[in-house]
Amino acid sequence: MTTTTTEEAVVTSTMRAVVITENGGPDVLVPKEIPVPGRQGSEVLVRVIAAGVNPFDAEARRGLAGHCGSPELPAVLGCDFSGVVVESPYLGHAFQPGVEVYGVASVPRSAGTYAEYVSVPSLQVARKPKSLSHTEASAVPLAALTAWGLVVDVAKAHEGQRILIHAAAGGVGHFAVQFAAYFGAHVVTTSSARNTAWLTELGAAQTIDYTAGDFEDHVALVDVAINLVDDDGIAARTVGVVRPGGLLVHVPVGATAKRDALAGRATAAGVRFTDYSMAPDATCLAIITRLLDSGDVSVYVDDVYDLEEVADAHRLLERGHTRGKLVLKVQDD
């Protein structure tokens, strides 16, 4: 076995990972020993301490990764990570061996974070928040960057604006609530009753229990609706609660024909429409880091699994109703 010595650690030639060789249910996720990825160009090689589990991972596992594409098999899934740099692009680079970082891997174009090491472009990596553990930090990047894009870049949240957020207690949703409230918006959420008090603490001005009746019976017209629920009926009904000239942002990735039908329904009602795809941006992630370290924003980890238990994490994720994020403990700090 060959090794490479760095200032931070000894990197072996192989690593523990979870691999899929076929698309399917959670049982296709199989622990395996595979080669450590080679760092190229401006990439940093990171020893992964913890990895987030996201709906995208389950979609990719099933071969339904939408406009992000599906990874070529065999594949290592996982987008979020928190860990320690072991190899840098050059001596003067900002992320030298030993620096704690977090970010988003380039799945499906490269191997993901369900592994002990990942090689990631520098522009997708930021310094880990000092206030968070690796477990907490790994739950942030994909969900928080998506929420920031929805709330700040697309909705342009501001004081006096009314924003409805469906599935507000989930990974993206709980960040979206906090960002919208931080920028002064009046935030309306839908969730189950058990999350009502928690979402109020995060900044929701009105919480609607979707299990108690139709949400549209409990909300006045909003300026922006952010739909994170993969349900055609909910999406269609949401058009009716957006004011004329307002905006519906539809996040779930489905068939183009369904998206176009929803867009047509919105247009007919005088409502603007867009879908959305997250771009991994380290500059934006650094802003989110400051909000986390200042206490203005927090992350919620619902449960933590060992790497080899990732199939169980996927099963729980696909049952729905997860609060915040699920995380994999890949290795010790």
Side-chain angles (χ1 to χ4, degrees), residues 21-321:
T21 58
E22 60 180 326
N23 296 122
D27 289 338
V28 303
L29 294 156
V30 179
K32 191 175 182 181
E33 193 83 6
I34 65 173
V36 172
R39 190 195 60 75
Q40 298 182 16
S42 65
E43 294 177 343
V44 291
L45 183 65
V46 177
R47 182 169 68 88
V48 179
I49 306 300
V53 180
N54 294 286
F56 171 81
D57 304 344
E59 293 168 358
R61 189 203 71 227
R62 297 195 304 267
L64 303 172
H67 43 235
C68 290
S70 296
E72 294 184 6
L73 303 177
V76 177
L77 304 180
C79 298
D80 292 329
F81 69 89
S82 183
V84 183
V85 174
V86 293
E87 291 182 11
S88 301
Y90 52 88
L91 291 176
H93 194 272
F95 300 136
Q96 289 298 301
V99 173
E100 294 184 319
V101 296
Y102 73 151
V104 181
S106 299
V107 177
R109 291 194 177 275
S110 63
T113 60
Y114 293 1
E116 291 182 307
Y117 294 92
V118 66
S119 193
V120 190
S122 299
L123 294 179
Q124 297 174 200
V125 178
R127 288 181 179 267
K128 181 183 77 67
K130 295 179 180 178
S131 61
L132 301 187
S133 66
H134 283 292
T135 297
E136 294 167 325
S138 71
V140 173
L142 186 68
L145 285 169
T146 301
W148 184 274
L150 293 168
V151 171
V152 181
D153 297 336
V154 178
K156 304 189 185 306
H158 58 270
E159 189 172 352
Q161 186 182 41
R162 292 176 57 84
I163 298 181
L164 168 65
I165 301 172
H166 284 310
V172 174
H174 86 293
F175 281 117
V177 170
Q178 294 177 84
F179 293 150
Y182 179 81
F183 285 101
H186 178 97
V187 183
V188 182
T189 66
T190 63
S191 71
S192 62
R194 78 180 185 96
N195 291 311
T196 296
W198 177 59
L199 289 172
T200 300
E201 291 175 5
L202 294 183
Q206 179 187 356
T207 58
I208 300 171
D209 176 8
Y210 69 84
T211 67
D214 294 337
F215 69 86
E216 58 266 41
D217 293 336
H218 303 281
V219 59
L221 291 181
V222 298
D223 299 295
V224 179
I226 296 174
N227 180 39
L228 301 168
V229 180
D230 191 7
D231 183 303
D232 295 341
I234 289 176
R237 287 156 51 200
T238 301
V239 173
V241 301
V242 182
R243 67 166 176 80
L247 174 66
L248 170 59
V249 188
H250 183 68
V251 180
V253 177
T256 301
K258 288 186 177 181
R259 182 202 62 192
D260 291 347
L262 181 60
R265 187 185 187 98
T267 299
V271 172
R272 293 175 292 135
F273 175 89
T274 184
D275 52 2
Y276 181 77
S277 181
M278 186 276 297
D281 181 349
T283 301
C284 182
L285 189 56
I287 295 172
I288 293 169
T289 299
R290 291 197 290 273
L291 292 174
L292 288 161
D293 279 339
S294 68
D296 290 303
V297 171
S298 62
V299 59
Y300 187 88
V301 175
D302 202 1
D303 209 347
V304 181
Y305 294 79
D306 289 335
L307 178 62
E308 288 78 9
E309 298 174 324
V310 63
D312 291 333
H314 274 233
R315 292 186 187 98
L316 179 59
L317 182 73
E318 292 186 309
R319 284 200 294 269
H321 310 298

